[in-house]
Amino acid sequence: RSDSFGRRWRRLRREQLVREDIRDMTRVQEIDQLDSLLHLLEDRSGCQVNFSSLANEVRVSVDTIRRWMATLQAFFAGFLVRPWYRNVARSLRKESKWYLRDWSAIGAEGARFETFVACHLLKAVEGWSDLGWGDFELCYLRDKEKREVDFVVVRDRKPWFLVEAKVADERPQAALSYFQALTGAPHAFQAILQGEDTSADAFARSCGPVTVSARSFLSQLL
């Protein structure tokens, strides 16, 4: 609840993660450059990853950036969400999106809220998989015409529900309807931060995109 405490805690956490944990437990030697990469990624949560651009900015090879990002994921600094492209014409296939685990460190409200939703969805798909309820995966949708939906939860290799995260816009985005029809996902949600809480089952309807408050929707997952 204290901004000053939060800033100190995040700075200490980053220093210990890079300069103690990763340094001591991996073979990474270029600690300063790895720290620079983490700083860059902290400003790009919810963005597509361009490995070549990051390599130029940090001044290392693309393969090194890939290895370092895998290391950051292994140490729970963040995670990648890959695009879902089966049965999606002209879809993106390679450009994954990066999300921080610590969503509270993000300054922009929209990016912070999207990352918050991503973290909760990841927790849900990992939990459902661990419980043996199916094979779940968190992906996103985007095609070459720049239509995009923030998330699609895949169950047993089939899209189950789509989620678009918005701070306040209650009108479902057109891309939700488009990709729901294209993928055949039974459910599509526009989760809004400032929506009114309700106890109604968000999954009770399957006729088209539904606007729900993020608090109500996420509480019904896991």
Side-chain angles (χ1 to χ4, degrees):
R1 297 183 179 182
S2 166
D3 289 341
S4 59
F5 177 85
R7 284 190 290 269
R8 293 196 306 271
W9 183 88
R10 285 190 291 270
R11 183 173 62 251
L12 178 62
R13 176 180 179 272
R14 184 172 57 245
E15 291 175 355
Q16 290 181 333
L17 173 67
V18 175
R19 302 188 180 277
E20 295 181 20
D21 295 346
I22 294 179
R23 181 198 63 191
D24 295 342
M25 299 178 66
T26 71
R27 296 183 179 180
V28 176
Q29 302 297 321
E30 301 87 348
I31 296 300
D32 288 338
Q33 288 169 294
L34 177 60
D35 189 48
S36 297
L37 173 62
L38 185 54
H39 273 285
L40 291 173
L41 292 174
E42 286 177 346
D43 294 329
R44 302 180 187 184
S45 188
C47 297
Q48 293 173 334
V49 176
N50 187 318
F51 292 101
S52 296
S53 177
L54 288 172
N56 289 332
E57 292 182 77
V58 183
R59 297 185 179 181
V60 295
S61 69
V62 172
D63 287 341
T64 297
I65 290 293
R66 292 183 183 274
R67 288 197 304 271
W68 286 358
M69 290 196 67
T71 297
L72 291 173
Q73 291 182 80
F75 281 83
F76 299 98
F79 56 94
L80 290 172
V81 174
R82 71 178 184 88
W84 176 262
Y85 54 84
R86 293 181 183 176
N87 300 325
V88 178
R90 295 179 56 79
S91 66
L92 298 184
R93 292 173 176 256
K94 297 181 179 179
E95 295 86 351
S96 295
K97 292 170 69 174
W98 164 263
Y99 288 97
L100 287 175
R101 293 270 186 175
D102 181 13
W103 51 267
S104 65
I106 301 169
E109 185 178 32
R112 182 171 64 248
F113 178 58
E114 182 180 335
T115 303
F116 168 80
V117 173
C119 290
H120 278 271
L121 290 173
L122 181 66
K123 179 186 72 173
V125 299
E126 290 179 340
W128 291 329
S129 295
D130 289 344
L131 289 168
W133 295 353
D135 183 14
F136 294 86
E137 185 178 3
L138 180 63
C139 302
Y140 80 99
L141 291 159
R142 182 179 171 91
D143 62 17
K144 294 180 180 179
E145 280 69 42
K146 297 184 179 181
R147 289 180 291 241
E148 182 174 346
V149 169
D150 292 331
F151 308 105
V152 53
V153 172
V154 179
R155 181 177 187 177
D156 298 329
R157 301 182 182 180
K158 296 180 180 179
W160 180 23
F161 63 87
L162 282 57
V163 181
E164 180 73 15
K166 292 292 183 183
V167 173
D169 191 355
E170 296 187 4
R171 295 171 298 176
Q173 300 295 297
L176 270 176
S177 297
Y178 175 80
F179 280 118
Q180 185 181 20
L182 205 60
T183 61
H187 307 281
F189 305 103
Q190 181 145 311
I192 55 176
L193 176 62
Q194 300 176 6
E196 182 179 352
D197 293 342
T198 175
S199 59
D201 183 1
F203 291 86
R205 293 176 56 187
S206 58
C207 58
V210 178
T211 299
V212 295
S213 78
R215 182 173 182 177
S216 299
F217 171 66
L218 297 175
S219 69
Q220 296 176 26
L221 300 180
L222 184 67

